[in-house]
Amino acid sequence: MKLVLGSASPRRKELLSKLGFEFRVLTASCDESFDPKQSPEEIVLSICKKKIAALADQIETDETLLCADTIVYLDGKVLGKPGNRDEAIEMLNLLSGKEHEVYTGLMLKNKQGEHNLIDCTVVRFQELKSEDINFYVDQFKPYDKAGSYGIQEWIGHVGVIEIRGSFTNVMGLPTQRLYPFLRAHL
């Protein structure tokens, strides 16, 4: 079986490559809206389903499509990708000094059907100073990242004081769980 990554994320591409899988990449825009009454697990899987539906007609019968979605969940609310500098700063201020969850949903589609997996990592930031938040947003421009941060970037090195769960899940693919999941379904 051939693998297709349905994602524009350079981090997902890098992580999947590091697992040793060969794959091609497809991207499609789809509606990533969700019902805020849904649980975080339901949200990530519903968005994965939309991504699968948007790309399914571009997959050959001998291929397996992998789509993923990652959200940051704080105090019962989803922090998505910021639309601008002010939103990025606001999100990082919300995360400062608090614990939040990062959920990633994964969905595979192939001739055997659809298979899914959800992972959750708990991340805690120390109190972040305004000048550090401003520096990070201005230097790293985290506008393509849920919750306005990349844990592998400067803000993760100076701000994250605790992680419970998969580090790579916070980057967008829980590689430790994804590897056996792919091996079982390819």
Side-chain angles (χ1 to χ4, degrees):
M1 281 267 177
K2 297 175 188 167
L3 183 59
V4 178
L5 175 62
S7 176
S9 165
R11 291 162 301 283
R12 287 193 180 117
K13 185 178 176 186
E14 176 189 354
L15 290 169
L16 192 57
S17 292
K18 286 181 177 181
L19 290 179
F21 291 101
E22 290 185 20
F23 58 94
R24 69 182 177 106
V25 175
L26 285 178
T27 59
S29 58
C30 69
D31 171 25
E32 294 191 23
S33 63
F34 55 87
D35 179 350
K37 294 182 187 101
Q38 291 179 304
S39 70
E41 296 90 348
E42 291 170 325
I43 291 169
V44 293
L45 286 183
S46 71
I47 295 171
C48 284
K49 255 192 184 314
K50 291 178 182 183
K51 291 177 180 182
I52 290 278
L55 295 170
D57 63 345
Q58 299 177 52
I59 302 302
E60 303 297 325
T61 56
D62 65 339
E63 291 182 316
T64 296
L65 175 60
L66 168 64
C67 289
D69 190 64
T70 301
I71 61 169
V72 170
Y73 199 70
L74 174 70
D75 298 331
K77 293 191 172 100
V78 174
L79 299 183
K81 296 174 186 172
N84 57 46
R85 182 180 189 273
D86 290 341
E87 285 181 18
I89 289 169
E90 180 183 350
M91 283 185 205
L92 289 168
N93 276 310
L94 289 172
L95 294 170
S96 177
K98 293 184 186 154
E99 190 172 275
H100 64 276
E101 295 90 34
V102 178
Y103 289 87
T104 298
L106 302 168
M107 189 169 283
L108 288 178
K109 179 176 177 57
N110 57 26
K111 62 185 174 187
Q112 283 82 36
E114 290 183 359
H115 314 277
N116 58 60
L117 171 72
I118 299 168
D119 199 41
C120 179
T121 302
V122 177
V123 178
R124 185 161 57 103
F125 272 98
Q126 66 182 336
E127 291 287 337
L128 301 170
K129 293 185 176 0
S130 292
E131 57 265 25
D132 290 336
I133 290 172
N134 290 334
F135 170 80
Y136 174 68
V137 170
D138 292 340
Q139 294 300 308
F140 291 86
K141 307 199 182 326
Y143 306 123
D144 65 334
K145 295 173 178 68
S148 301
Y149 77 94
I151 196 164
Q152 72 281 6
E153 294 175 339
W154 182 84
I155 198 78
H157 298 298
V158 302
V160 172
I161 56 174
E162 185 180 5
I163 300 171
R164 293 192 309 275
S166 169
F167 176 82
T168 60
N169 180 54
V170 185
M171 292 175 63
L173 281 178
T175 55
Q176 302 82 355
R177 294 193 61 208
L178 176 61
Y179 183 78
F181 180 67
L182 283 175
R183 302 285 294 177
H185 296 292
L186 285 179

